[in-house]
Amino acid sequence: MTFQLSPSVPWLLIRIILVTALSSITGCAHNSGSTNCPDNNLVDQAFSFGDSGENQDIEILKVYYGIPGCPPNYDSEKLLFNGKPLQVTNIVGGPARRAWILTVEWRVKNTNTEYKESVDLKSRLPKDMTNHKIHFWIKGSQLFVFLITPEKRPKNTPPNGPRMTQHLKTITVFPDQHY
């Protein structure tokens, strides 16, 4: 049996565009030449927020995910849409440093109240982040941060975190969890 691509679908072009887009989004994490950066170990990992209609009653104002002194894994001030931070991000994966901090600023739309939370991830994440994903969502004044592992969720464990990854073992790392 031979597999042929349909000539009506330019698969190679689509792959090139996706790889280029991913490289430009995560490109800041690839720059390991920073002399102030205390960690230049890059591993494949992912980062996301706002999937499946989460955070509908809030507006993301600012997001920083990375290590101080290093090029950030994600910095909302560098990725703007119509001059505003993205409200949904799903960086599928690529080389990045194990982040030490996640800082999120947001506004609750119906009260216009602004919040800022910085989470120390250094003690909350595993030393090896290979094939893991960090995801956050916000409920009113509370930030929730999840570590999504590549392991399947045991059947006797209740689902946790984003709906799209409930088949995977997911750990709430904030609030009040340490790895």
Side-chain angles (χ1 to χ4, degrees):
M1 184 168 148
T2 310
F3 180 75
Q4 286 186 303
L5 292 176
S6 167
S8 64
V9 180
W11 291 107
L12 181 59
L13 180 59
I14 291 170
R15 285 187 70 170
I16 291 170
I17 290 170
L18 287 173
V19 168
T20 303
L22 181 60
S23 296
S24 67
I25 291 172
T26 62
C28 55
H30 292 282
N31 180 5
S32 60
S34 176
T35 57
N36 296 330
C37 185
D39 181 358
N40 286 316
N41 183 30
L42 304 178
V43 298
D44 283 340
Q45 58 182 294
F47 174 73
S48 65
F49 61 87
D51 292 344
S52 305
E54 300 165 354
N55 307 334
Q56 289 185 5
D57 53 344
I58 61 105
E59 178 185 3
I60 301 287
L61 303 175
K62 196 181 283 188
V63 177
Y64 175 86
Y65 174 66
I67 300 173
C70 298
N73 293 353
Y74 184 87
D75 185 350
S76 62
E77 292 182 343
K78 298 194 179 358
L79 295 169
L80 301 175
F81 180 74
N82 290 335
K84 292 186 173 186
L86 299 174
Q87 299 301 299
V88 176
T89 293
N90 190 8
I91 299 175
V92 176
R97 293 172 184 84
R98 177 180 170 268
W100 293 3
I101 192 164
L102 170 66
T103 300
V104 182
E105 294 181 32
W106 70 95
R107 176 184 306 118
V108 176
K109 291 178 183 177
N110 61 357
T111 64
N112 215 28
T113 307
E114 293 186 9
Y115 297 91
K116 178 179 180 178
E117 186 79 59
S118 288
V119 180
D120 177 3
L121 297 174
K122 200 170 183 183
S123 65
R124 290 181 164 90
L125 299 181
K127 297 284 185 219
D128 184 3
M129 282 291 292
T130 303
N131 298 323
H132 287 63
K133 181 178 190 173
I134 293 295
H135 181 85
F136 76 81
W137 72 40
I138 298 166
K139 302 273 189 217
S141 63
Q142 182 62 59
L143 173 68
F144 295 88
V145 182
F146 301 96
L147 172 67
I148 302 164
T149 74
E151 303 165 34
K152 296 283 186 202
R153 177 179 57 86
K155 292 186 188 294
N156 61 347
T157 303
N160 186 28
R163 198 176 346 193
M164 294 178 66
T165 58
Q166 288 189 348
H167 63 287
L168 297 173
K169 180 180 174 184
T170 301
I171 301 161
T172 304
V173 295
F174 184 82
D176 301 322
Q177 298 289 323
H178 293 268
Y179 195 80

